[in-house]
Amino acid sequence: MIEVYIDGASKGDPGLSGAGIFFKNVQEDSKFKIPLGNMNNHEAEFQALIHALKIAKERNYSILSIRTDSQAVDQAISKQFAKREPYKSLLVEALKLMEQFDLCFVKWIPAKENRVADQLAREAIHLNK
C-alpha cells in the first residue's frame, strides 16, 4: 500500500494556488509541487487529489491510502456528494480516477501530520507564471 499525502494552498480567495503531493515509502521521486493558477483553497485541495491519482496511475500503483487535512475533500469522497460547482465536477473526476485502482481510500488527518504536503503546496504557489 502506498501512502499519499496531499494538500492544496491558495494565496487569496480566489488566488494563486498550488498542490503538494508526497508519496511515502516509494523509491522514485516522491514529492511534487504543482502550480494550479487562480482558484480557491477547496478547489486546490480537490486538484491535489486529482493530480495525485493521475501520478499514481502513471506509476502503476494499485493500492493507495490518501491522506488529506481537508475535511471538505474527505467528506465529499466519503459521501460521494458535493452540493455545487465546481466541486461537483471535481468530485466526479476524482471518483472516476479512484475506480481505476484495486483499492483506494481517502483518510482525514490533522494538519500537523500533513506538513510535507503543505510545504510543497505553498512552494507550488510560487511556481505559477
Side-chain angles (χ1 to χ4, degrees), residues 9-12 14-18 37-39 125 128-129:
S10 293
K11 191 173 181 181
L16 290 178
S17 301
N38 246 357
M39 61 184 61
I125 290 172
N128 284 286
K129 295 183 180 187

Side-chain angles (χ1 to χ4, degrees), residues 3-125:
E3 290 181 20
V4 186
Y5 293 79
I6 62 169
D7 202 9
S10 293
K11 191 173 181 181
D13 186 26
L16 290 178
S17 301
I21 302 165
F22 171 50
F23 289 87
K24 190 172 181 181
N25 300 328
V26 294
Q27 292 180 342
E28 304 132 15
D29 291 326
S30 60
K31 294 179 181 177
F32 297 87
K33 303 173 199 175
I34 302 168
L36 299 173
N38 246 357
M39 61 184 61
N40 69 39
N41 191 63
H42 290 310
E43 289 173 286
E45 298 279 4
F46 275 100
Q47 287 291 343
L49 172 60
I50 289 166
H51 282 281
L53 291 166
K54 288 178 178 178
I55 294 166
K57 192 64 183 167
E58 288 171 5
R59 292 175 172 220
N60 296 315
Y61 298 149
S62 59
I63 300 175
L64 301 177
S65 172
I66 300 173
R67 317 294 172 92
T68 179
D69 59 17
S70 169
Q71 291 181 347
V73 168
D74 177 57
Q75 290 175 4
I77 294 294
S78 68
K79 294 177 182 178
Q80 296 189 359
F81 176 79
K83 191 171 184 175
R84 57 190 159 110
E85 292 296 343
Y87 313 115
K88 271 183 169 179
S89 298
L90 294 168
L91 174 62
V92 167
E93 183 177 358
L95 290 172
K96 283 183 182 177
L97 288 165
M98 289 175 72
E99 289 173 358
Q100 298 176 20
F101 296 91
D102 293 340
L103 177 63
C104 181
F105 60 92
V106 174
K107 177 183 176 184
W108 179 85
I109 58 172
K112 68 181 179 181
E113 293 177 25
N114 206 26
R115 289 187 180 133
V116 173
D118 176 66
Q119 183 63 37
L120 293 167
R122 292 176 189 278
E123 291 173 10
I125 290 172

